[in-house]
Amino acid sequence: MDQKSIGSNYTAVVLAAGFGSRISEMTDRPKCLLELNGKTLLERSFDIWKQLGIKKVNLVLGYKKELIQKVVDNYKNDFEFSFYLN
């Protein structure tokens, strides 16, 4: 069995509703939108899940959800998203 067929049996879950008080002095963006070498942590996760063949992603959103949804829009052809508001 290859990685893509294994991943198709899984659903990823992203808990992205928090304020990020411990990093609030560095940024006003949600933690999942912190950038490392030009990509956000969320984009890095999406890229890995895509390689693994994961198709379903559940996102729990809250603080600045509209910023996260902008990133998600770039991946709407790759995943089946479900959103939950905290």
Side-chain angles (χ1 to χ4, degrees), residues 34-61:
L34 287 176
E35 283 192 23
L36 294 172
N37 296 323
K39 275 194 172 182
T40 67
L41 297 175
L42 187 59
E43 289 170 316
R44 290 174 176 278
S45 295
F46 288 158
D47 291 344
I48 291 167
W49 297 334
K50 200 164 133 179
Q51 289 175 13
L52 293 173
I54 293 172
K55 293 290 183 192
K56 294 180 182 179
V57 178
N58 294 338
L59 286 122
V60 180
L61 303 177

PDB file of all heavy atoms in Angstrom, residues 34-61:
ATOM      1  N   LEU A  34       1.563  31.617  11.225  1.00  0.00           N
ATOM      2  CA  LEU A  34       2.962  31.995  11.379  1.00  0.00           C
ATOM      3  C   LEU A  34       3.730  31.459  10.180  1.00  0.00           C
ATOM      4  O   LEU A  34       3.488  30.345   9.728  1.00  0.00           O
ATOM      5  CB  LEU A  34       3.549  31.412  12.661  1.00  0.00           C
ATOM      6  CG  LEU A  34       3.103  32.040  13.967  1.00  0.00           C
ATOM      7  CD1 LEU A  34       3.697  31.266  15.133  1.00  0.00           C
ATOM      8  CD2 LEU A  34       3.509  33.501  14.041  1.00  0.00           C
ATOM      9  N   GLU A  35       4.648  32.259   9.668  1.00  0.00           N
ATOM     10  CA  GLU A  35       5.408  31.861   8.483  1.00  0.00           C
ATOM     11  C   GLU A  35       6.801  31.386   8.846  1.00  0.00           C
ATOM     12  O   GLU A  35       7.474  31.967   9.694  1.00  0.00           O
ATOM     13  CB  GLU A  35       5.513  33.030   7.500  1.00  0.00           C
ATOM     14  CG  GLU A  35       4.252  33.259   6.731  1.00  0.00           C
ATOM     15  CD  GLU A  35       4.437  34.215   5.559  1.00  0.00           C
ATOM     16  OE1 GLU A  35       5.566  34.372   5.065  1.00  0.00           O
ATOM     17  OE2 GLU A  35       3.428  34.802   5.157  1.00  0.00           O
ATOM     18  N   LEU A  36       7.220  30.332   8.177  1.00  0.00           N
ATOM     19  CA  LEU A  36       8.577  29.813   8.251  1.00  0.00           C
ATOM     20  C   LEU A  36       9.054  29.623   6.820  1.00  0.00           C
ATOM     21  O   LEU A  36       8.446  28.866   6.051  1.00  0.00           O
ATOM     22  CB  LEU A  36       8.622  28.469   8.980  1.00  0.00           C
ATOM     23  CG  LEU A  36       8.266  28.485  10.453  1.00  0.00           C
ATOM     24  CD1 LEU A  36       8.155  27.064  10.981  1.00  0.00           C
ATOM     25  CD2 LEU A  36       9.307  29.255  11.238  1.00  0.00           C
ATOM     26  N   ASN A  37      10.094  30.329   6.457  1.00  0.00           N
ATOM     27  CA  ASN A  37      10.655  30.232   5.106  1.00  0.00           C
ATOM     28  C   ASN A  37       9.603  30.430   4.024  1.00  0.00           C
ATOM     29  O   ASN A  37       9.561  29.697   3.037  1.00  0.00           O
ATOM     30  CB  ASN A  37      11.389  28.904   4.918  1.00  0.00           C
ATOM     31  CG  ASN A  37      12.594  28.780   5.828  1.00  0.00           C
ATOM     32  OD1 ASN A  37      13.295  29.744   6.080  1.00  0.00           O
ATOM     33  ND2 ASN A  37      12.818  27.591   6.345  1.00  0.00           N
ATOM     34  N   GLY A  38       8.726  31.412   4.219  1.00  0.00           N
ATOM     35  CA  GLY A  38       7.778  31.792   3.178  1.00  0.00           C
ATOM     36  C   GLY A  38       6.478  31.012   3.120  1.00  0.00           C
ATOM     37  O   GLY A  38       5.645  31.271   2.262  1.00  0.00           O
ATOM     38  N   LYS A  39       6.275  30.056   4.019  1.00  0.00           N
ATOM     39  CA  LYS A  39       5.020  29.299   4.055  1.00  0.00           C
ATOM     40  C   LYS A  39       4.476  29.302   5.471  1.00  0.00           C
ATOM     41  O   LYS A  39       5.228  29.178   6.432  1.00  0.00           O
ATOM     42  CB  LYS A  39       5.241  27.845   3.627  1.00  0.00           C
ATOM     43  CG  LYS A  39       5.209  27.627   2.166  1.00  0.00           C
ATOM     44  CD  LYS A  39       5.085  26.145   1.893  1.00  0.00           C
ATOM     45  CE  LYS A  39       4.854  25.948   0.416  1.00  0.00           C
ATOM     46  NZ  LYS A  39       4.671  24.562   0.093  1.00  0.00           N
ATOM     47  N   THR A  40       3.149  29.399   5.564  1.00  0.00           N
ATOM     48  CA  THR A  40       2.534  29.349   6.892  1.00  0.00           C
ATOM     49  C   THR A  40       2.540  27.915   7.410  1.00  0.00           C
ATOM     50  O   THR A  40       2.672  26.953   6.638  1.00  0.00           O
ATOM     51  CB  THR A  40       1.082  29.858   6.861  1.00  0.00           C
ATOM     52  OG1 THR A  40       0.292  28.949   6.097  1.00  0.00           O
ATOM     53  CG2 THR A  40       0.997  31.267   6.296  1.00  0.00           C
ATOM     54  N   LEU A  41       2.385  27.774   8.714  1.00  0.00           N
ATOM     55  CA  LEU A  41       2.297  26.433   9.298  1.00  0.00           C
ATOM     56  C   LEU A  41       1.112  25.672   8.712  1.00  0.00           C
ATOM     57  O   LEU A  41       1.196  24.460   8.463  1.00  0.00           O
ATOM     58  CB  LEU A  41       2.168  26.531  10.825  1.00  0.00           C
ATOM     59  CG  LEU A  41       3.350  27.155  11.557  1.00  0.00           C
ATOM     60  CD1 LEU A  41       3.031  27.295  13.041  1.00  0.00           C
ATOM     61  CD2 LEU A  41       4.606  26.343  11.349  1.00  0.00           C
ATOM     62  N   LEU A  42       0.016  26.378   8.459  1.00  0.00           N
ATOM     63  CA  LEU A  42      -1.167  25.745   7.883  1.00  0.00           C
ATOM     64  C   LEU A  42      -0.880  25.240   6.466  1.00  0.00           C
ATOM     65  O   LEU A  42      -1.242  24.109   6.119  1.00  0.00           O
ATOM     66  CB  LEU A  42      -2.341  26.720   7.885  1.00  0.00           C
ATOM     67  CG  LEU A  42      -3.692  26.180   7.462  1.00  0.00           C
ATOM     68  CD1 LEU A  42      -4.129  25.016   8.353  1.00  0.00           C
ATOM     69  CD2 LEU A  42      -4.735  27.290   7.494  1.00  0.00           C
ATOM     70  N   GLU A  43      -0.219  26.053   5.658  1.00  0.00           N
ATOM     71  CA  GLU A  43       0.125  25.627   4.293  1.00  0.00           C
ATOM     72  C   GLU A  43       1.055  24.415   4.310  1.00  0.00           C
ATOM     73  O   GLU A  43       0.911  23.506   3.484  1.00  0.00           O
ATOM     74  CB  GLU A  43       0.794  26.776   3.538  1.00  0.00           C
ATOM     75  CG  GLU A  43      -0.157  27.893   3.191  1.00  0.00           C
ATOM     76  CD  GLU A  43       0.564  29.122   2.660  1.00  0.00           C
ATOM     77  OE1 GLU A  43       1.607  29.523   3.225  1.00  0.00           O
ATOM     78  OE2 GLU A  43       0.061  29.689   1.672  1.00  0.00           O
ATOM     79  N   ARG A  44       1.986  24.391   5.239  1.00  0.00           N
ATOM     80  CA  ARG A  44       2.891  23.243   5.362  1.00  0.00           C
ATOM     81  C   ARG A  44       2.093  21.975   5.677  1.00  0.00           C
ATOM     82  O   ARG A  44       2.357  20.910   5.116  1.00  0.00           O
ATOM     83  CB  ARG A  44       3.933  23.499   6.436  1.00  0.00           C
ATOM     84  CG  ARG A  44       4.931  24.560   6.046  1.00  0.00           C
ATOM     85  CD  ARG A  44       5.886  24.896   7.200  1.00  0.00           C
ATOM     86  NE  ARG A  44       6.879  25.832   6.752  1.00  0.00           N
ATOM     87  CZ  ARG A  44       7.976  25.508   6.078  1.00  0.00           C
ATOM     88  NH1 ARG A  44       8.213  24.249   5.797  1.00  0.00           N
ATOM     89  NH2 ARG A  44       8.831  26.418   5.696  1.00  0.00           N
ATOM     90  N   SER A  45       1.121  22.111   6.569  1.00  0.00           N
ATOM     91  CA  SER A  45       0.273  20.947   6.897  1.00  0.00           C
ATOM     92  C   SER A  45      -0.507  20.491   5.675  1.00  0.00           C
ATOM     93  O   SER A  45      -0.555  19.297   5.379  1.00  0.00           O
ATOM     94  CB  SER A  45      -0.693  21.306   8.029  1.00  0.00           C
ATOM     95  OG  SER A  45       0.007  21.582   9.212  1.00  0.00           O
ATOM     96  N   PHE A  46      -1.115  21.435   4.955  1.00  0.00           N
ATOM     97  CA  PHE A  46      -1.872  21.076   3.758  1.00  0.00           C
ATOM     98  C   PHE A  46      -0.988  20.348   2.745  1.00  0.00           C
ATOM     99  O   PHE A  46      -1.402  19.353   2.144  1.00  0.00           O
ATOM    100  CB  PHE A  46      -2.483  22.311   3.104  1.00  0.00           C
ATOM    101  CG  PHE A  46      -3.643  22.920   3.850  1.00  0.00           C
ATOM    102  CD1 PHE A  46      -3.984  24.245   3.648  1.00  0.00           C
ATOM    103  CD2 PHE A  46      -4.401  22.195   4.751  1.00  0.00           C
ATOM    104  CE1 PHE A  46      -5.054  24.826   4.305  1.00  0.00           C
ATOM    105  CE2 PHE A  46      -5.464  22.755   5.427  1.00  0.00           C
ATOM    106  CZ  PHE A  46      -5.792  24.075   5.206  1.00  0.00           C
ATOM    107  N   ASP A  47       0.220  20.836   2.546  1.00  0.00           N
ATOM    108  CA  ASP A  47       1.122  20.208   1.576  1.00  0.00           C
ATOM    109  C   ASP A  47       1.471  18.779   1.970  1.00  0.00           C
ATOM    110  O   ASP A  47       1.500  17.878   1.128  1.00  0.00           O
ATOM    111  CB  ASP A  47       2.396  21.043   1.409  1.00  0.00           C
ATOM    112  CG  ASP A  47       2.150  22.376   0.720  1.00  0.00           C
ATOM    113  OD1 ASP A  47       1.068  22.549   0.098  1.00  0.00           O
ATOM    114  OD2 ASP A  47       3.028  23.248   0.805  1.00  0.00           O
ATOM    115  N   ILE A  48       1.701  18.553   3.255  1.00  0.00           N
ATOM    116  CA  ILE A  48       2.012  17.199   3.733  1.00  0.00           C
ATOM    117  C   ILE A  48       0.802  16.287   3.577  1.00  0.00           C
ATOM    118  O   ILE A  48       0.914  15.154   3.106  1.00  0.00           O
ATOM    119  CB  ILE A  48       2.497  17.238   5.192  1.00  0.00           C
ATOM    120  CG1 ILE A  48       3.869  17.903   5.268  1.00  0.00           C
ATOM    121  CG2 ILE A  48       2.525  15.838   5.802  1.00  0.00           C
ATOM    122  CD1 ILE A  48       4.312  18.270   6.667  1.00  0.00           C
ATOM    123  N   TRP A  49      -0.377  16.790   3.959  1.00  0.00           N
ATOM    124  CA  TRP A  49      -1.588  15.969   3.855  1.00  0.00           C
ATOM    125  C   TRP A  49      -1.893  15.624   2.401  1.00  0.00           C
ATOM    126  O   TRP A  49      -2.358  14.537   2.107  1.00  0.00           O
ATOM    127  CB  TRP A  49      -2.776  16.665   4.497  1.00  0.00           C
ATOM    128  CG  TRP A  49      -2.592  16.877   5.978  1.00  0.00           C
ATOM    129  CD1 TRP A  49      -1.819  16.144   6.825  1.00  0.00           C
ATOM    130  CD2 TRP A  49      -3.184  17.885   6.767  1.00  0.00           C
ATOM    131  NE1 TRP A  49      -1.900  16.653   8.095  1.00  0.00           N
ATOM    132  CE2 TRP A  49      -2.723  17.706   8.096  1.00  0.00           C
ATOM    133  CE3 TRP A  49      -4.063  18.933   6.495  1.00  0.00           C
ATOM    134  CZ2 TRP A  49      -3.122  18.529   9.138  1.00  0.00           C
ATOM    135  CZ3 TRP A  49      -4.463  19.763   7.536  1.00  0.00           C
ATOM    136  CH2 TRP A  49      -3.995  19.554   8.850  1.00  0.00           C
ATOM    137  N   LYS A  50      -1.614  16.565   1.521  1.00  0.00           N
ATOM    138  CA  LYS A  50      -1.826  16.320   0.089  1.00  0.00           C
ATOM    139  C   LYS A  50      -0.924  15.183  -0.386  1.00  0.00           C
ATOM    140  O   LYS A  50      -1.365  14.283  -1.106  1.00  0.00           O
ATOM    141  CB  LYS A  50      -1.527  17.611  -0.677  1.00  0.00           C
ATOM    142  CG  LYS A  50      -2.115  17.683  -2.044  1.00  0.00           C
ATOM    143  CD  LYS A  50      -2.072  19.132  -2.489  1.00  0.00           C
ATOM    144  CE  LYS A  50      -1.535  19.264  -3.869  1.00  0.00           C
ATOM    145  NZ  LYS A  50      -1.496  20.642  -4.346  1.00  0.00           N
ATOM    146  N   GLN A  51       0.334  15.190   0.034  1.00  0.00           N
ATOM    147  CA  GLN A  51       1.267  14.118  -0.327  1.00  0.00           C
ATOM    148  C   GLN A  51       0.820  12.769   0.212  1.00  0.00           C
ATOM    149  O   GLN A  51       1.041  11.736  -0.416  1.00  0.00           O
ATOM    150  CB  GLN A  51       2.663  14.434   0.210  1.00  0.00           C
ATOM    151  CG  GLN A  51       3.355  15.568  -0.496  1.00  0.00           C
ATOM    152  CD  GLN A  51       4.687  15.902   0.156  1.00  0.00           C
ATOM    153  OE1 GLN A  51       5.206  15.150   0.983  1.00  0.00           O
ATOM    154  NE2 GLN A  51       5.232  17.058  -0.196  1.00  0.00           N
ATOM    155  N   LEU A  52       0.182  12.786   1.381  1.00  0.00           N
ATOM    156  CA  LEU A  52      -0.283  11.546   2.004  1.00  0.00           C
ATOM    157  C   LEU A  52      -1.613  11.054   1.438  1.00  0.00           C
ATOM    158  O   LEU A  52      -2.046   9.950   1.752  1.00  0.00           O
ATOM    159  CB  LEU A  52      -0.418  11.732   3.512  1.00  0.00           C
ATOM    160  CG  LEU A  52       0.887  11.941   4.269  1.00  0.00           C
ATOM    161  CD1 LEU A  52       0.600  12.290   5.727  1.00  0.00           C
ATOM    162  CD2 LEU A  52       1.767  10.711   4.170  1.00  0.00           C
ATOM    163  N   GLY A  53      -2.265  11.896   0.649  1.00  0.00           N
ATOM    164  CA  GLY A  53      -3.541  11.491   0.064  1.00  0.00           C
ATOM    165  C   GLY A  53      -4.745  11.787   0.925  1.00  0.00           C
ATOM    166  O   GLY A  53      -5.853  11.317   0.637  1.00  0.00           O
ATOM    167  N   ILE A  54      -4.566  12.563   1.976  1.00  0.00           N
ATOM    168  CA  ILE A  54      -5.694  12.935   2.829  1.00  0.00           C
ATOM    169  C   ILE A  54      -6.573  13.907   2.060  1.00  0.00           C
ATOM    170  O   ILE A  54      -6.088  14.845   1.447  1.00  0.00           O
ATOM    171  CB  ILE A  54      -5.195  13.555   4.154  1.00  0.00           C
ATOM    172  CG1 ILE A  54      -4.486  12.477   4.969  1.00  0.00           C
ATOM    173  CG2 ILE A  54      -6.343  14.184   4.943  1.00  0.00           C
ATOM    174  CD1 ILE A  54      -3.792  12.979   6.207  1.00  0.00           C
ATOM    175  N   LYS A  55      -7.873  13.665   2.084  1.00  0.00           N
ATOM    176  CA  LYS A  55      -8.811  14.496   1.334  1.00  0.00           C
ATOM    177  C   LYS A  55      -9.759  15.307   2.205  1.00  0.00           C
ATOM    178  O   LYS A  55     -10.289  16.310   1.770  1.00  0.00           O
ATOM    179  CB  LYS A  55      -9.652  13.624   0.380  1.00  0.00           C
ATOM    180  CG  LYS A  55      -8.850  13.002  -0.729  1.00  0.00           C
ATOM    181  CD  LYS A  55      -8.410  14.060  -1.694  1.00  0.00           C
ATOM    182  CE  LYS A  55      -7.653  13.478  -2.865  1.00  0.00           C
ATOM    183  NZ  LYS A  55      -6.993  14.497  -3.654  1.00  0.00           N
ATOM    184  N   LYS A  56      -9.990  14.860   3.434  1.00  0.00           N
ATOM    185  CA  LYS A  56     -10.953  15.539   4.302  1.00  0.00           C
ATOM    186  C   LYS A  56     -10.220  16.295   5.407  1.00  0.00           C
ATOM    187  O   LYS A  56      -9.333  15.750   6.059  1.00  0.00           O
ATOM    188  CB  LYS A  56     -11.913  14.528   4.934  1.00  0.00           C
ATOM    189  CG  LYS A  56     -12.808  13.857   3.926  1.00  0.00           C
ATOM    190  CD  LYS A  56     -13.724  12.872   4.600  1.00  0.00           C
ATOM    191  CE  LYS A  56     -14.591  12.179   3.562  1.00  0.00           C
ATOM    192  NZ  LYS A  56     -15.475  11.191   4.190  1.00  0.00           N
ATOM    193  N   VAL A  57     -10.621  17.565   5.583  1.00  0.00           N
ATOM    194  CA  VAL A  57     -10.011  18.404   6.610  1.00  0.00           C
ATOM    195  C   VAL A  57     -11.117  19.111   7.389  1.00  0.00           C
ATOM    196  O   VAL A  57     -11.977  19.762   6.801  1.00  0.00           O
ATOM    197  CB  VAL A  57      -9.060  19.465   5.991  1.00  0.00           C
ATOM    198  CG1 VAL A  57      -8.477  20.356   7.075  1.00  0.00           C
ATOM    199  CG2 VAL A  57      -7.957  18.797   5.188  1.00  0.00           C
ATOM    200  N   ASN A  58     -11.093  18.950   8.698  1.00  0.00           N
ATOM    201  CA  ASN A  58     -12.010  19.651   9.594  1.00  0.00           C
ATOM    202  C   ASN A  58     -11.242  20.782  10.257  1.00  0.00           C
ATOM    203  O   ASN A  58     -10.177  20.551  10.834  1.00  0.00           O
ATOM    204  CB  ASN A  58     -12.559  18.724  10.674  1.00  0.00           C
ATOM    205  CG  ASN A  58     -13.450  17.645  10.111  1.00  0.00           C
ATOM    206  OD1 ASN A  58     -13.991  17.775   9.021  1.00  0.00           O
ATOM    207  ND2 ASN A  58     -13.602  16.562  10.850  1.00  0.00           N
ATOM    208  N   LEU A  59     -11.765  21.997  10.168  1.00  0.00           N
ATOM    209  CA  LEU A  59     -11.124  23.157  10.783  1.00  0.00           C
ATOM    210  C   LEU A  59     -12.027  23.755  11.845  1.00  0.00           C
ATOM    211  O   LEU A  59     -13.189  24.056  11.566  1.00  0.00           O
ATOM    212  CB  LEU A  59     -10.826  24.225   9.733  1.00  0.00           C
ATOM    213  CG  LEU A  59      -9.669  23.904   8.820  1.00  0.00           C
ATOM    214  CD1 LEU A  59     -10.126  23.913   7.400  1.00  0.00           C
ATOM    215  CD2 LEU A  59      -8.576  24.906   9.017  1.00  0.00           C
ATOM    216  N   VAL A  60     -11.480  23.918  13.048  1.00  0.00           N
ATOM    217  CA  VAL A  60     -12.185  24.611  14.119  1.00  0.00           C
ATOM    218  C   VAL A  60     -11.638  26.035  14.131  1.00  0.00           C
ATOM    219  O   VAL A  60     -10.454  26.253  14.373  1.00  0.00           O
ATOM    220  CB  VAL A  60     -11.968  23.928  15.483  1.00  0.00           C
ATOM    221  CG1 VAL A  60     -12.724  24.676  16.575  1.00  0.00           C
ATOM    222  CG2 VAL A  60     -12.388  22.467  15.425  1.00  0.00           C
ATOM    223  N   LEU A  61     -12.495  26.996  13.807  1.00  0.00           N
ATOM    224  CA  LEU A  61     -12.076  28.384  13.657  1.00  0.00           C
ATOM    225  C   LEU A  61     -12.675  29.270  14.730  1.00  0.00           C
ATOM    226  O   LEU A  61     -13.700  28.952  15.305  1.00  0.00           O
ATOM    227  CB  LEU A  61     -12.500  28.911  12.282  1.00  0.00           C
ATOM    228  CG  LEU A  61     -11.987  28.143  11.069  1.00  0.00           C
ATOM    229  CD1 LEU A  61     -12.560  28.736   9.795  1.00  0.00           C
ATOM    230  CD2 LEU A  61     -10.482  28.133  11.029  1.00  0.00           C
TER     231      LEU A  61
END
